[in-house]
Amino acid sequence: VSVDGGSTWSAYSGISTDKRLYSACYVKNTGNNTAVVCGESGKIFRTVNNGANWNEISCPTTNMLLDVEFHDDGTGIIIGENGTVLRSSDGGINWLSVSSSTTKTLRNVNLQEYFWITGDNVILYSANNGLNWLPARDSANEFYIGISADGKYATAIGYRF
């Protein structure tokens, strides 16, 4: 945990779980004190005091969750294996499953004007805050591990095999 802009870091073990956690994100527009983390076995934890205390959040899946991101309006998206997409409209308190129309592992999410997801052989996008997801690209020989976006424009990275 860093409380000084990254100048110093200290280990923190305030989350009680034996599962690996893969992603963390502060919830925007909450005064920089609310964050959500996610990981193995559908584990989601949320803090409202910069990590001093964490609460486990109910999750509608036991799939591995690999990335979490929040939009400026407080909408959150968590993605993971087997095409898992979870959506929160209340700053990460409640999460609901949303159809991604794929069973592929999803690895990275980017929330701008359009919402974007990359994963194994697929790029998905949503033009309605993550309520519906459409394929932007589906290629059997491409593995996407990240995406950066600005409005309708996006750049994905990965490799071909």
Side-chain angles (χ1 to χ4, degrees):
V1 175
S2 177
V3 295
D4 57 10
S7 295
T8 60
W9 290 86
S10 59
Y12 182 75
S13 59
I15 298 175
S16 179
T17 184
D18 61 345
K19 305 300 181 190
R20 290 185 178 126
L21 300 174
Y22 294 111
S23 184
C25 185
Y26 273 91
V27 180
K28 295 172 176 72
N29 297 322
T30 60
N32 291 331
N33 58 0
T34 302
V36 171
V37 298
C38 63
E40 286 182 332
S41 300
K43 293 294 182 184
I44 303 172
F45 295 89
R46 185 175 186 266
T47 181
V48 295
N49 55 12
N50 284 319
N53 304 98
W54 292 87
N55 294 311
E56 186 169 351
I57 301 297
S58 178
C59 180
T61 184
T62 57
N63 286 332
M64 182 169 35
L65 305 175
L66 296 171
D67 197 15
V68 57
E69 184 68 40
F70 282 88
H71 189 262
D72 292 340
D73 67 3
T75 300
I77 301 291
I78 293 178
I79 59 170
E81 68 181 355
N82 298 317
T84 298
V85 177
L86 307 177
R87 184 180 186 277
S88 173
S89 59
D90 59 9
I93 298 168
N94 296 291
W95 294 90
L96 299 173
S97 292
V98 177
S99 175
S100 66
S101 299
T102 186
T103 57
K104 298 173 182 176
T105 296
L106 305 175
R107 300 187 178 277
N108 186 258
V109 61
N110 184 291
L111 308 183
Q112 301 294 324
E113 176 185 347
Y114 287 76
F115 289 15
W116 298 91
I117 294 173
T118 57
D120 296 359
N121 316 112
V122 67
I123 300 174
L124 305 174
Y125 78 97
S126 173
N128 61 2
N129 278 20
L131 292 170
N132 303 99
W133 293 90
L134 299 169
R137 186 164 177 86
D138 193 341
S139 177
N141 297 325
E142 296 174 351
F143 183 84
Y144 302 103
I145 56 175
I147 191 162
S148 180
D150 184 11
K152 293 189 279 187
Y153 302 96
T155 301
I157 60 168
Y159 58 89
R160 288 189 175 141
F161 54 94

